[in-house]
Amino acid sequence: MTQEAPGEPTTRNDDAQDPQAAGHEAAGQQAAGRAAAAGPAGGEETAGQAGGEGAGQNTGPDQEQDQASERPEARLEKAVRVAEQALIEFEIAVETFRVEVENFSRLHHQRLGPMYARLDELDARIAEATAARTGDPEDRRRAEEARAMVMPMPGVDELFHDWMDSDGLSPEASAMLTEQTVQPPKRVRPSEEARRLYRELARKAHPDLAQDEAERSRRDEFIARVNAAYGRGDVGQLRVLADEWAAGPVPVEQQPERDELYARLEWLSRRKELLSVIAKELEDSAIGSMLRMAPDDPDRLLEEIAEQLLARVAEREADLARLVQ
């Protein structure tokens, strides 16, 4: 879904004699459009709703007079703000899906891992029982291969696979190193209340809204805690963070110069392209593909997979019982 940023800059009469400025203006329009063209997924409200649906409505004489008296960069600044909000909405959608992918992966391993292990053990026993009956060298080879699959020795890459997430070591790895109990997510998708609180905090405290490096660092640290709480579905912690942000310092608004605004538009465009790549990788991953099978209720998908695995276990046990009689 493509959305255009309202309030894009247009060429003014006093710029008509400046070809370089006109070129910058056109580039700014293109960058604003590209940055605002991020269509959030997963039921998030659109960037048009966040930025105000009436931005493109006709203005009256009073509004036209107000616009005429604005500083030269005001309209360009409005375009930047709209593009920022569109990008933030896209980032919220991507982060929401990333959390669901990570939670599904962890719960899939924790809940279904023992079932997969049981299936591997049954396959090995069936192959061994078959080889014992036939004495065929090929059957013995298959039995050895099946047994090797039950408890394979992990390599270095496998040992550390998925032990790093966006916040550093995963909770499982951190718990192992500190001998603490792992607190896994209880569900794939956090509750609606957690989703609402997360979206509100992300819109208010997003690092992309910072106007200097000190403010960006403060926002980066805060949003990292917000993301961690949201990943756990911790509504109580999200409420604490909301109160903390409301009580914090209010950054001083600055009026950027024209060159800074053009540079900002270009940065927003590049950031949107990077997020598009990340979103595509998440969607095309094995877990992402599974989640797309059940977009409305991913937690139910885990239950369905568990039911299928239990049925397969029952079939394997029956096969083994017939072989060892």
Side-chain angles (χ1 to χ4, degrees), residues 54-230:
Q57 297 176 352
N58 294 331
T59 57
D62 293 339
Q63 290 173 310
E64 291 176 355
Q65 184 176 0
D66 291 341
Q67 290 178 354
S69 63
E70 288 178 335
R71 50 191 284 267
E73 293 82 5
R75 293 190 55 142
L76 178 58
E77 190 171 349
K78 287 180 181 179
V80 170
R81 299 298 171 242
V82 170
E84 285 175 340
Q85 290 302 316
L87 183 65
I88 288 172
E89 293 299 323
F90 188 31
E91 290 201 46
I92 289 173
V94 172
E95 177 64 17
T96 298
F97 189 62
R98 184 193 69 79
V99 165
E100 292 186 10
V101 167
E102 286 192 358
N103 286 356
F104 191 96
S105 179
R106 289 172 182 166
L107 291 172
H108 183 273
H109 175 71
Q110 291 162 355
R111 294 181 184 178
L112 307 184
M115 298 183 190
Y116 286 116
R118 178 61 177 164
L119 281 171
D120 287 342
E121 175 64 28
L122 288 169
D123 285 340
R125 290 186 183 183
I126 290 171
E128 289 165 349
T130 301
R133 278 194 169 193
T134 65
D136 189 309
E138 185 63 20
D139 286 340
R140 285 199 296 269
R141 183 189 63 79
R142 292 194 187 99
E144 291 173 358
E145 290 181 353
R147 176 54 61 188
M149 292 296 295
V150 175
M151 289 294 293
M153 180 64 68
V156 174
D157 292 339
E158 295 172 323
L159 191 62
F160 289 98
H161 180 63
D162 284 341
W163 284 71
M164 297 290 290
D165 59 19
S166 60
D167 300 319
L169 285 175
S170 70
E172 291 85 352
S174 298
M176 182 185 73
L177 294 174
T178 59
E179 298 183 355
Q180 294 177 355
T181 303
V182 178
Q183 295 294 330
K186 294 181 176 60
R187 52 192 295 178
V188 174
R189 176 174 292 165
S191 68
E192 284 302 315
E193 178 68 5
R195 288 159 65 86
R196 181 187 67 79
L197 288 167
Y198 168 71
R199 288 194 295 265
E200 290 179 358
L201 282 168
R203 288 166 183 155
K204 294 175 182 177
H206 200 282
D208 287 352
L209 298 177
Q211 300 189 26
D212 56 58
E213 285 305 314
E215 177 65 12
R216 173 172 283 277
S217 296
R218 183 175 80 93
R219 288 172 178 261
D220 279 336
E221 185 275 334
F222 182 80
I223 284 296
R225 289 190 286 143
V226 171
N227 289 342
Y230 178 64

Side-chain angles (χ1 to χ4, degrees), residues 5-33 55-56 59 64 67-68 70-80 258 261-262 265:
E8 292 179 347
T10 56
T11 304
R12 299 179 302 280
N13 291 335
D14 58 341
D15 290 332
Q17 304 301 321
D18 188 348
Q20 183 178 5
H24 278 307
E25 202 79 50
Q29 292 178 11
Q30 294 175 357
T59 57
E64 291 176 355
Q67 290 178 354
E70 288 178 335
R71 50 191 284 267
E73 293 82 5
R75 293 190 55 142
L76 178 58
E77 190 171 349
K78 287 180 181 179
V80 170
R258 177 181 296 190
L261 292 170
Y262 286 130
L265 283 173

